[in-house]
């Protein structure tokens, strides 16, 4: 396992490259090497490389090849008239802590690759030819992109096509502004998790939108914030798609603009659209399609969402479809439904138990509570919560930290903390006051417990404890479990 160093300012391709004082100067020199599993290529911070970097060799699952950075200062930058980083057929690759900008093609392109992780990469002004997504993967397996920033690109922020196993987590895309550019486009892919991203198309010059999820199988789109563009989430065809907990707004550029739309590029079945806040737009959820299409649209559930400040109806159904629209909250002034008479007469799309409110503020809190209620403890082997303990022996006044989910498990490797105590865990977390201190938790399961010594009993021997119940699910709300965090406070020596 060898570490190779590359420094565009002080390196030389005549060097050995295995030390910071003997760094290479160019990426092309690295390409001439036969990289082996476990090798790392580290680019000096402050370096600028005006060349495409081709990754030709594979790591293993236990020993991936890593491309990263070293030193101090700004992240190393790759510029290129072609792609920034390009690879075909390589497997088990990690790319992290870089910047890629001003590329003619994609910032990162992977074709027929397996087990790639991209994290903490900044991408700007890529795809100047407008023919590529900033991050493009095709015909691949197990691709994760997380904690990365994409801005001012002339194409899709992400273009994912025919990939089995996609995770797009906690990324930001700002102004993917090509003429056909979406912030994220995922086509013909499966086992998809799009979670915690912030997608802002407010200033994009395009009728496109936030997320285009086309012909997806087994997809979860959760807890994202989407602003602007022609639409929020277009999921026009697919099966087993869950869209929940998203905040979608500002998509009112066109009369057809929608927050969530489906039905115009193929059949769709088993969609669960729930717990979203949909506001400042045209249509809410549109079950629609081009005139003359005969796609099958079945089991489309739209429930427990909040709709406000819409110029059109919260629900539009103008093509034959089966499903239900229930337990939604709709602000006064927003039309609840626009369903074609033929569908009404067919009784295939039911409407029940929706509520009209003057203000959505209290309704949002109510919706969070409804979503959290789905995590009540049940026997469900797909998600397993394990009891957590926090033991406090000494106290400096600082918070005592841990994570509730690290010892829990789920079949799809995704866990979300939905309820803590008797309250829902919102997007910004939750703070509760207990018997002996206060605790803050977030949806990722992180907690910080701060002891209040004034609440401890006068008898400073032995210990006291308090417990907090919590509920988790697998990101889909289909599988859930619950358990308890117990805080043990040992007072011997804690107080004087």
């Amino acid at each position: 396992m060898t570490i190779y160093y590359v420094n565009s300012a002080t390196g030389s391709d005549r060097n050995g490259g295995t030390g910071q004082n003997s760094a290479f100067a160019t990426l092309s020199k690295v390409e001439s090497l036969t990289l082996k599993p476990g090798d790392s290529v580290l680019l000096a911070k402050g370096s600028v490389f005006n060349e495409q970097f081709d990754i030709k060799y594979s790591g293993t699952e236990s020993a991936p090849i890593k491309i990263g950075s070293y030193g101090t200062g700004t992240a190393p930058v790759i510029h290129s008239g072609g792609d920034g980083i390009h690879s075909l057929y390589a497997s088990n690759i990690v790319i992290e802590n870089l910047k890629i900008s001003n590329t003619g093609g994609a910032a990162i392109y992977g074709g027929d690759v397996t087990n790639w992780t991209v994290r903490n990469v900044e991408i700007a002004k890529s795809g100047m030819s407008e023919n590529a997504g900033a991050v493009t993967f095709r015909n691949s397996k197990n691709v994760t992109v997380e904690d990365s920033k994409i801005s001012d690109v002339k194409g899709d922020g992400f273009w994912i096509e025919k990939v089995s196993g996609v995770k797009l987590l906690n990324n930001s895309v700002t102004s993917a502004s090509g003429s056909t550019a979406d912030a994220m486009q995922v086509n013909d892919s499966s086992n998809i998790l799009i979670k915690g991203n912030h997608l802002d198309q407010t200033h994009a010059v395009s009728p496109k939108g936030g997320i285009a999820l086309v012909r997806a199988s087994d997809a979860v789109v959760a807890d994202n914030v989407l602003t602007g563009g022609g639409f929020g989430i277009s999921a026009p065809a697919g099966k087993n798609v869950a869209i929940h907990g998203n905040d979608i707004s500002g998509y009112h550029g066109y009369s057809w603009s929608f927050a969530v739309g489906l039905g115009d590029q193929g059949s769709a079945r088993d969609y669960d659209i729930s717990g979203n806040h949909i506001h400042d737009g045209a249509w809410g959820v549109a079950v629609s399609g081009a005139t003359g299409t005969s796609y099958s649209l079945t089991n489309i559930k739209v429930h427990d969402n909040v709709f406000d400040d819409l110029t059109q109806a919260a629900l539009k159904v103008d093509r034959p479809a089966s499903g239900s629209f229930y337990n939604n909250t709709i602000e006064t002034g927003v039309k609840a439904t626009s369903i074609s008479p033929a569908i009404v007469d067919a009784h295939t799309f039911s409407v029940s138990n929706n509520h009209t409110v003057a203000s959505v503020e209290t309704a949002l809190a109510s919706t969070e509570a409804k979503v959290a209620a789905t995590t009540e403890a049940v026997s469900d082997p797909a998600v397993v919560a394990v009891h957590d303990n926090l033991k406090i022996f000494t106290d400096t006044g600082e918070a005592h930290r841990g994570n509730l989910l690290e010892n829990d498990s789920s079949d799809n490797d995704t866990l979300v903390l939905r309820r803590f105590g008797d309250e829902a865990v919102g997007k910004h977390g939750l703070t509760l006051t207990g018997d002996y201190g206060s605790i803050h938790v977030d949806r990722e399961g992180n907690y910080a417990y701060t002891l209040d010594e004034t609440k401890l009993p006068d008898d400073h021997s032995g210990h006291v404890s308090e417990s907090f119940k919590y509920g988790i699910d697998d990101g889909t709300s289909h599988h859930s479990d619950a358990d308890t965090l117990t805080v043990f406070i040992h007072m011997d020596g804690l107080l004087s």
Side-chain angles (χ1 to χ4, degrees):
M1 296 184 181
T2 305
I3 300 175
Y4 295 99
Y5 298 89
V6 192
N7 189 317
S8 66
T10 65
S12 170
D13 286 351
R14 294 187 298 272
N15 288 337
T18 56
Q20 294 185 25
N21 294 326
S22 59
F24 296 136
T26 67
L27 300 175
S28 59
K29 177 62 178 179
V30 178
E31 292 175 13
S32 71
L33 305 174
T34 302
L35 296 178
K36 295 180 174 58
D39 286 353
S40 295
V41 177
L42 302 183
L43 313 184
K45 291 186 175 179
S47 287
V48 177
F49 300 95
N50 295 302
E51 54 184 318
Q52 177 174 298
F53 186 20
D54 289 327
I55 299 176
K56 306 173 183 178
Y57 299 99
S58 298
T60 64
E61 288 192 47
S62 60
I65 292 173
K66 296 183 179 181
I67 313 298
S69 62
Y70 74 96
T72 60
T74 58
V77 181
I78 297 175
H79 302 310
S80 170
D83 296 333
I85 293 175
H86 180 96
S87 185
L88 296 174
Y89 307 111
S91 299
N92 302 298
I93 303 295
V94 175
I95 299 172
E96 58 189 357
N97 305 323
L98 307 175
K99 181 175 180 179
I100 305 172
S101 68
N102 297 94
T103 62
I108 298 174
Y109 180 95
D112 294 282
V113 301
T114 302
N115 296 340
W116 273 54
T117 297
V118 177
R119 66 168 68 98
N120 193 32
V121 172
E122 182 181 352
I123 296 171
K125 297 181 173 64
S126 74
M128 302 311 288
S129 65
E130 298 194 28
N131 293 324
V135 176
T136 297
F137 286 94
R138 289 188 167 102
N139 303 310
S140 298
K141 295 181 180 179
N142 300 333
V143 171
T144 298
V145 184
E146 58 190 359
D147 300 315
S148 295
K149 297 180 180 180
I150 298 173
S151 63
D152 298 317
V153 295
K154 297 296 184 181
D156 296 273
F158 290 82
W159 180 276
I160 309 294
E161 183 178 13
K162 296 181 180 178
V163 177
S164 174
V166 179
K167 292 183 179 180
L168 306 178
L169 311 174
N170 304 315
N171 304 289
S172 68
V173 180
T174 305
S175 299
S177 57
S179 59
T180 60
D182 299 306
M184 291 180 172
Q185 174 109 20
V186 181
N187 291 350
D188 301 296
S189 298
S190 61
N191 298 317
I192 301 160
L193 176 62
I194 301 174
K195 183 176 186 293
N197 302 284
H198 191 154
L199 310 178
D200 186 353
Q201 290 288 71
T202 303
H203 301 293
V205 184
S206 168
K208 305 293 280 184
I211 299 173
L213 187 66
V214 183
R215 294 176 295 275
S217 176
D218 301 317
V220 176
V221 182
D223 303 327
N224 304 284
V225 176
L226 295 86
T227 307
F231 59 82
I233 301 171
S234 176
K239 59 182 179 180
N240 194 23
V241 175
I243 299 172
H244 61 78
N246 303 285
D247 188 297
I248 308 172
S249 67
Y251 57 94
H252 42 54
Y254 305 89
S255 60
W256 52 262
S257 291
F258 52 78
V260 179
L262 58 113
D264 67 352
Q265 292 190 38
S267 297
R269 65 177 175 85
D270 301 330
Y271 277 46
D272 187 278
I273 303 168
S274 61
N276 303 287
H277 182 199
I278 294 172
H279 55 112
D280 185 23
W283 298 96
V285 176
V287 182
S288 189
T291 301
T293 57
S294 58
Y295 302 132
S296 173
L297 309 177
T298 59
N299 194 29
I300 312 301
K301 296 179 180 179
V302 183
H303 62 97
D304 296 290
N305 303 283
V306 174
F307 300 91
D308 65 278
D309 193 19
L310 303 182
T311 61
Q312 304 292 339
L315 174 71
K316 174 184 180 181
V317 185
D318 63 3
R319 295 293 179 271
S322 69
S324 51
F325 182 74
Y326 62 96
N327 289 347
N328 298 285
T329 299
I330 304 163
E331 190 173 63
T332 301
V334 174
K335 185 178 179 180
T337 64
S338 175
I339 303 177
S340 70
I343 297 169
V344 172
D345 292 342
H347 303 290
T348 59
F349 213 104
S350 64
V351 176
S352 63
N353 298 321
N354 299 293
H355 312 283
T356 300
V357 298
S359 171
V360 302
E361 294 301 321
T362 56
L364 284 172
S366 175
T367 299
E368 290 282 6
K370 291 175 183 177
V371 172
T374 67
T375 63
E376 290 295 335
V378 296
S379 177
D380 188 347
V383 173
V384 177
V386 178
H387 187 90
D388 293 84
N389 295 314
L390 169 63
K391 297 180 180 180
I392 300 176
F393 295 93
T394 60
D395 186 59
T396 63
E398 299 293 326
H400 300 266
R401 301 180 184 274
N403 187 282
L404 296 168
L405 306 182
E406 62 185 6
N407 60 344
D408 301 338
S409 63
S410 73
D411 281 356
N412 69 354
D413 296 324
T414 300
L415 288 170
V416 179
L417 181 66
R418 291 295 187 187
R419 179 174 50 80
F420 193 80
D422 294 322
E423 298 189 35
V425 180
K427 294 179 181 178
H428 303 293
L430 169 70
T431 300
L432 292 180
T433 300
D435 294 333
Y436 305 110
S438 62
I439 187 167
H440 180 82
V441 298
D442 62 27
R443 284 185 173 176
E444 286 70 44
N446 301 302
Y447 68 80
Y449 181 91
T450 303
L451 182 66
D452 184 349
E453 293 186 357
T454 64
K455 293 186 174 182
L456 296 177
D458 293 335
D459 180 3
H460 295 167
S461 61
H463 73 263
V464 294
S465 66
E466 60 177 317
S467 296
F468 302 90
K469 294 181 179 179
Y470 69 87
I472 63 175
D473 69 24
D474 62 352
T476 69
S477 296
H478 296 152
H479 304 286
S480 60
D481 199 6
D483 218 296
T484 303
L485 166 68
T486 301
V487 181
F488 296 94
I489 303 166
H490 296 258
M491 296 189 295
D492 294 330
L494 185 63
L495 300 174
S496 59

